[in-house]
Amino acid sequence: MQDFKSFSSRLSNLKSKDFESLALQLFQFQSLANPIYRQYLDARKVNTQSVKSLDQIPFLPIRFFKDHKIVSGNASDYVDFFSSSGTTGMITSRHYIWSEQWYLSHAKQIFESNFGELSNFHVLALLPAYLERKGSSLVSMADHFILESNSEHSGFYLYNQDELLEKMEKLADDKRTVLLLGVTFALLDLAESGQNFNSPSNLIVMETGGMKGRRKEMIREEVHDILKPFFGVETIHSEYGMTELMSQSYSIGQGKYTLPNTMRVMLRDVNDPLSISPRSQGGINVIDLANFHSCAFIETQDLGKVDENGMLEVLGRFDNSEVRGCNLLVQ
């Protein structure tokens, strides 16, 4: 299992029927190779050999990434990391990575499985808060998408709203789709700028969540009701990602996310975080097999539900949790 290159290649062709078997193999490996996860399992007196199904796997609270180096294997082998954005005074998470290049390749595969080849897009990234610091996995992914689009029009935008609007109008008749990938507060600032804008018909607006203390938190419908008329689109797309996960999920509207083949969500009881909820709603536990180098079993601070089609809907956050810099919009 220490052969991460071999394991990562298995993920690229992962079948749904093989998910549980691979997750259980990964659990057994990480229960030994990840020192922090091993200590957590010991503290909970978990007999790892008795874990035979996904609902028996303990999930590591996401806050551990703030105070510990969560890695599987020799800690000194890990130097590079992604860090969460947070807000002023917050302790940020660090997710040490095995290979940034593999992360980018994985992110591209997930995106293209949902939307088609990046070469069919002009990628315009409106990510001001993230561009102003180092170590953002979102910026790294967006930069890779910009390069892979192979478009002279793709690029980053900080606060230059006029230039961004001019670019979108210029591309209105282009055969490619224009993907505007933006942090929520920046998209709202743009929509409420009062500028006249002739929206192109080939536009996808995709928000990544996050107010970063710039604006009050708003429910998803309220945000989307502001964005849709300004950009002239029927739906707002969304990306669900976080520093502590290597995989992303995407929504093409209504806040319902399709999970990639490397990810599963298991809802926990809101009153008993150590128990899986028998209901369709609860705290979100994520299995991300792409976290093979760190910990694949994460207890997030998000609340959600899974519908009859297996799509994830995020309802908000636990009241006592910090507001994430890249959090999802509350429902």
Side-chain angles (χ1 to χ4, degrees):
M1 180 60 75
Q2 189 66 47
D3 185 0
F4 290 155
K5 186 174 182 179
S6 175
F7 188 85
S8 64
S9 66
R10 295 173 66 184
L11 294 185
S12 62
N13 298 304
L14 181 65
K15 306 298 182 185
S16 178
K17 65 181 180 65
D18 298 323
F19 185 96
E20 181 165 5
S21 173
L22 201 56
L24 290 170
Q25 290 179 45
L26 191 55
F27 167 74
Q28 293 299 335
F29 165 70
Q30 292 183 340
S31 69
L32 296 174
N34 185 316
I36 300 300
Y37 189 41
R38 184 175 66 245
Q39 291 177 48
Y40 177 72
L41 295 174
D42 289 345
R44 286 187 52 181
K45 303 186 185 309
V46 175
N47 178 359
T48 58
Q49 296 305 310
S50 68
V51 173
K52 303 297 183 183
S53 62
L54 298 184
D55 59 1
Q56 295 176 325
I57 294 177
F59 289 78
L60 185 73
I62 200 167
R63 65 180 178 271
F64 277 61
F65 283 84
K66 295 180 180 294
D67 302 313
H68 304 282
K69 192 171 185 177
I70 310 298
V71 296
S72 293
N74 190 341
S76 63
D77 292 340
Y78 294 85
V79 177
D80 298 329
F81 58 86
F82 291 130
S83 59
S84 61
S85 49
T87 55
T88 303
M90 243 185 218
I91 300 174
T92 58
S93 295
R94 286 188 175 188
H95 192 177
Y96 286 83
I97 54 177
W98 166 68
S99 166
E100 183 175 9
Q101 189 55 48
W102 182 83
Y103 162 74
L104 297 174
S105 175
H106 179 59
K108 178 187 176 185
Q109 182 182 29
I110 294 174
F111 178 88
E112 293 187 335
S113 69
N114 283 273
F115 302 103
E117 294 183 6
L118 278 163
S119 59
N120 294 325
F121 290 85
H122 301 295
V123 181
L124 311 180
L126 181 62
L127 305 170
Y130 298 89
L131 289 170
E132 294 168 317
R133 67 178 185 84
K134 294 181 179 180
S136 166
S137 57
L138 178 60
V139 169
S140 181
M141 182 181 77
D143 185 50
H144 187 61
F145 286 4
I146 288 168
L147 293 173
E148 290 296 308
S149 71
N150 196 28
S151 165
E152 63 179 346
H153 300 292
S154 294
F156 284 104
Y157 291 82
L158 196 58
Y159 296 104
N160 41 340
Q161 295 179 346
D162 292 341
E163 184 182 344
L164 175 58
L165 293 176
E166 290 173 5
K167 175 67 72 173
M168 285 192 287
E169 289 186 334
K170 180 179 180 180
L171 296 173
D173 299 321
D174 196 271
K175 63 181 181 180
R176 293 197 191 193
T177 299
V178 178
L179 172 63
L180 175 58
L181 179 69
V183 63
T184 306
F185 81 82
L187 291 174
L188 285 170
D189 287 348
L190 183 58
E192 296 176 344
S193 64
Q195 301 190 60
N196 293 322
F197 171 57
N198 296 317
S199 175
S201 60
N202 59 342
L203 175 65
I204 289 179
V205 179
M206 181 179 292
E207 53 92 5
T208 66
M211 294 299 188
K212 293 186 63 60
R214 307 293 182 94
R215 304 174 63 117
K216 69 178 181 67
E217 293 295 322
M218 300 165 64
I219 63 172
R220 174 177 55 80
E221 289 90 347
E222 186 180 2
V223 170
H224 289 195
D225 285 347
I226 294 172
L227 298 181
K228 286 189 290 187
F230 177 79
F231 290 107
V233 294
E234 294 185 0
T235 60
I236 300 296
H237 293 51
S238 303
E239 180 259 352
Y240 174 25
M242 58 182 70
T243 299
E244 300 86 355
L245 300 177
M246 292 286 101
S247 298
Q248 305 80 36
S249 300
Y250 291 96
S251 165
I252 61 172
Q254 306 305 315
K256 292 191 174 184
Y257 294 85
T258 300
L259 300 177
N261 61 358
T262 53
M263 183 186 290
R264 289 274 180 91
V265 164
M266 303 185 72
L267 301 178
R268 66 183 183 275
D269 192 314
V270 294
N271 297 311
D272 181 5
L274 304 184
S275 300
I276 297 299
S277 174
R279 305 171 184 265
S280 62
Q281 184 170 315
I284 296 176
N285 288 348
V286 175
I287 300 176
D288 185 5
L289 299 185
N291 278 21
F292 51 81
H293 64 289
S294 55
C295 183
F297 313 98
I298 305 298
E299 175 193 295
T300 79
Q301 286 295 324
D302 293 324
L303 292 164
K305 66 179 180 180
V306 177
D307 68 14
E308 63 278 6
N309 298 315
M311 300 186 75
L312 172 67
E313 189 173 355
V314 177
L315 304 178
R317 294 184 55 74
F318 283 91
D319 290 340
N320 63 346
S321 65
E322 292 177 303
V323 177
R324 300 177 63 83
C326 191
N327 70 323
L328 295 168
L329 300 175
V330 295
Q331 168 119 339

